[in-house]
Amino acid sequence: MSEEDYRIEEDSLGEMQVPADAYWGAQTQRAVENFPVSGITFGRRFVRALGVVKKAAAQANRDLDLVKDETADAIVEAADEVIAGEHDDQFPVDVFQTGSGTSSNMNANEVIANRAAEISGAEVGDRVVHPNDHVNYGQSSNDVIPTAMHVASLEAVEKDLLPALDTLREALEAKEGEFDGVVKTGRTHLQDATPVRLGQEFGGYRTQVEKGLARLDYVRDHLSELALGG
């Protein structure tokens, strides 16, 4: 790799060579080199959730006068790009990594900090927006990662699973009515049993889905509790 292909980034552990066109920094690069385990990286839902967490933290820190308005606004703009999926290729860390998810938390901090620096008119790596002192202000991997997991899971439940199950419930309910006049032989232990309407069977399927929807309501309450922000 020629000198034009990388830049030098430095943190408390020293210098690291980072690809010149990457928004991530030294800690992310170390994680890439330390954890070449599976080649599997985090997907869209989790990366989006990290962006949501970092955006909310920046807004809170701005409102509390802990981070300057212009710095926080640049972080919010960069986080919005992460949320929108514009930088998914900047999250290369393997899913099998440190237990608390520090590598992925720092990956998000570095990407958002460097992109926010660009938005502010500086160069990537200038640290005018600092990954720790600004993007990660008031946070820890031990609360960021569980919070992102809850946000990602709750969004998956509300945007994907609940609508899909509700569509399935409606379809089964329609078939329940359509098949109500069809009488068939019930089966128990591989033998013929008492007669049953086919509509009744589909009513049983519908009820199973409805009970699943009720359980999801219970789960949503718990997923809404976040480790970050107390």
Side-chain angles (χ1 to χ4, degrees):
M1 187 166 64
S2 68
E3 290 187 2
E4 290 78 21
D5 294 329
Y6 67 85
R7 67 179 189 274
I8 301 296
E9 286 230 3
E10 186 175 359
D11 61 11
S12 60
L13 296 177
E15 294 184 344
M16 284 292 294
Q17 290 184 352
V18 178
D21 58 351
Y23 281 122
W24 70 75
Q27 291 207 37
T28 301
Q29 189 63 37
R30 281 197 186 86
V32 170
E33 296 178 14
N34 287 340
F35 306 112
V37 181
S38 71
I40 302 170
T41 57
F42 283 99
R44 171 90 281 270
R45 183 79 69 185
F46 185 76
V47 172
R48 170 185 161 81
L50 282 173
V52 170
V53 171
K54 296 301 173 181
K55 177 181 179 178
Q59 290 171 323
N61 288 328
R62 179 188 59 202
D63 294 345
L64 293 169
D65 295 324
L66 297 173
V67 175
K68 292 180 179 179
D69 288 358
E70 58 269 24
T71 300
D73 290 343
I75 292 171
V76 167
E77 186 174 340
D80 275 333
E81 293 178 358
V82 170
I83 292 168
E86 296 179 25
H87 304 299
D88 284 358
D89 61 342
Q90 298 297 310
F91 291 82
V93 181
D94 201 288
V95 295
F96 298 101
Q97 52 176 278
T98 58
S100 61
T102 298
S103 297
S104 285
N105 183 36
M106 283 309 303
N107 189 176
N109 293 331
E110 291 177 337
V111 168
I112 292 172
N114 276 325
R115 178 64 188 123
E118 271 191 341
I119 291 169
S120 302
E123 296 291 330
V124 169
D126 280 356
R127 295 297 180 94
V128 295
V129 181
H130 197 280
N132 274 326
D133 298 344
H134 297 135
V135 182
N136 200 53
Y137 191 99
Q139 301 151 66
S140 165
S141 300
N142 292 309
D143 45 39
V144 167
I145 297 302
T147 296
M149 291 170 65
H150 277 220
V151 170
S153 299
L154 186 57
E155 282 199 335
V157 167
E158 292 192 341
K159 294 183 178 181
D160 292 340
L161 186 54
L162 282 174
L165 286 176
D166 201 49
T167 298
L168 178 59
R169 181 195 61 76
E170 291 176 356
L172 292 171
E173 187 173 37
K175 291 300 180 182
E176 181 183 358
E178 180 182 343
F179 296 150
D180 188 60
V182 179
V183 179
K184 56 168 286 187
T185 301
R187 299 280 289 175
T188 301
H189 298 295
L190 304 180
Q191 298 184 64
D192 290 345
T194 57
V196 63
R197 297 193 307 277
L198 186 57
Q200 287 177 300
E201 282 194 355
F202 274 80
Y205 304 149
R206 171 187 55 77
T207 300
Q208 285 182 309
V209 174
E210 288 176 346
K211 289 183 180 296
L213 287 165
R215 286 193 294 271
L216 281 175
D217 278 334
Y218 175 78
V219 169
R220 288 164 70 195
D221 288 340
H222 289 275
L223 287 175
S224 297
E225 296 179 2
L226 303 179
L228 183 65

